[in-house]
Amino acid sequence: MTILVWSMRASAKKLTIHFYSQPALIVAEQLLGKFLVRRAGKRLIASKIVETEAYVGFRDRASHASRGKTKRNALMFGPPGVAYVYLVYGMYCCLNIVTSRRGYPAAVLIRAVEPIHAKDIRAAAGPGKVCRYFKIDRGLNGVSMVGGLMWVEDRDERLAPGDIVRARRIGVDYAGLYKKKLWRYYLSSSPSVSRR
DNA sequence: GGTTCGATCCTCT
DNA sequence: GAGGATCGAACCT
């Protein structure tokens, strides 16, 4: 067991600023099958990302950035590879990773991860549940995703052909034309996806 | 200073 | 499918 864990670590590659500098749609799709890792004290929590959404640019009415730069969304306009954590509905947090380039507001929402233990298989099936599962709150707003607190790593998981599904984003019916954009990505084979 | 409303989740029916 | 929990940012006056 120890050897197995060690070998997984050895092959794991932490995603870089170069990766997050890509367009949000690319990052959203490519994050599927990668592992979100968080250091909480001495422990590490790690789970496979199985659902993401992209929020793209100035005109995307589903995005916080569509009404211009504000105190809350300012991180979206900053450099890529940074966590944007905000409170929704007064009681849940959502974790995003800022992408693209400084000055162009774009981010990827982590909507679901797949817990290691089968009994928890739905415990992180939704953006609020991801933050609850990972103990992520607004204290992590603005932290680097390429540092030692929280990051995403590639463990060489192979995705089955055709496993990636594109769909409309959830909870953005107010977004006009942009509610129809297929900017949600998920792994069809995963039991931990929030909705199909 | 007051009002509105969510990038959600859970518990009903 | 509907409704309640709960609160701060954003946008009024």
Side-chain angles (χ1 to χ4, degrees):
Chain A
M1 186 59 186
T2 303
I3 294 171
L4 175 64
V5 170
W6 188 86
S7 66
M8 284 171 63
R9 287 282 161 65
S11 68
K13 295 178 287 288
K14 190 183 289 190
L15 301 186
T16 64
I17 287 291
H18 177 75
F19 175 84
Y20 297 114
S21 299
Q22 300 175 95
L25 296 182
I26 303 291
V27 172
E29 180 167 356
Q30 302 255 322
L31 280 176
L32 297 178
K34 306 297 192 297
F35 283 73
L36 178 63
V37 187
R38 159 133 160 75
R39 186 182 298 282
K42 287 183 176 178
R43 319 182 67 155
L44 290 181
I45 315 174
S47 293
K48 183 164 71 174
I49 297 170
V50 296
E51 183 179 352
T52 60
E53 277 177 1
Y55 290 83
V56 186
F58 299 91
R59 308 169 104 96
D60 177 7
R61 281 184 52 202
S63 170
H64 292 164
S66 66
R67 293 182 192 177
K69 190 173 177 179
T70 65
K71 182 179 175 183
R72 177 172 68 158
N73 68 21
L75 286 168
M76 288 186 73
F77 292 77
V82 168
Y84 168 41
V85 182
Y86 66 89
L87 187 69
V88 269
Y89 298 103
M91 62 186 94
Y92 298 103
C93 286
C94 288
L95 170 66
N96 298 253
I97 304 176
V98 177
T99 74
S100 306
R101 61 175 195 278
R102 188 190 293 266
Y104 184 79
V108 173
L109 172 67
I110 309 298
R111 279 197 60 90
V113 304
E114 193 168 284
I116 308 237
H117 301 292
K119 73 177 180 61
D120 301 327
I121 206 67
R122 303 280 303 163
K129 295 168 88 175
V130 167
C131 285
R132 193 174 58 190
Y133 185 73
F134 271 83
K135 297 179 171 56
I136 292 166
D137 61 21
R138 282 176 297 165
L140 288 174
N141 193 32
V143 308
S144 170
M145 293 299 293
V146 297
L149 235 46
M150 185 162 61
W151 63 90
V152 180
E153 61 189 35
D154 184 349
R155 294 183 176 180
D156 290 328
E157 287 252 329
R158 293 272 180 88
L159 302 185
D163 201 9
I164 296 179
V165 176
R166 294 189 68 177
R168 290 187 184 188
R169 294 171 294 179
I170 303 291
V172 297
D173 285 347
Y174 55 84
L177 289 174
Y178 285 86
K179 78 178 182 186
K180 296 183 177 178
K181 299 287 186 186
L182 303 180
W183 289 351
R184 181 163 73 106
Y185 300 83
Y186 65 87
L187 292 181
S188 180
S189 63
S190 175
S192 304
V193 168
S194 67
R195 289 194 228 174
R196 304 188 169 268

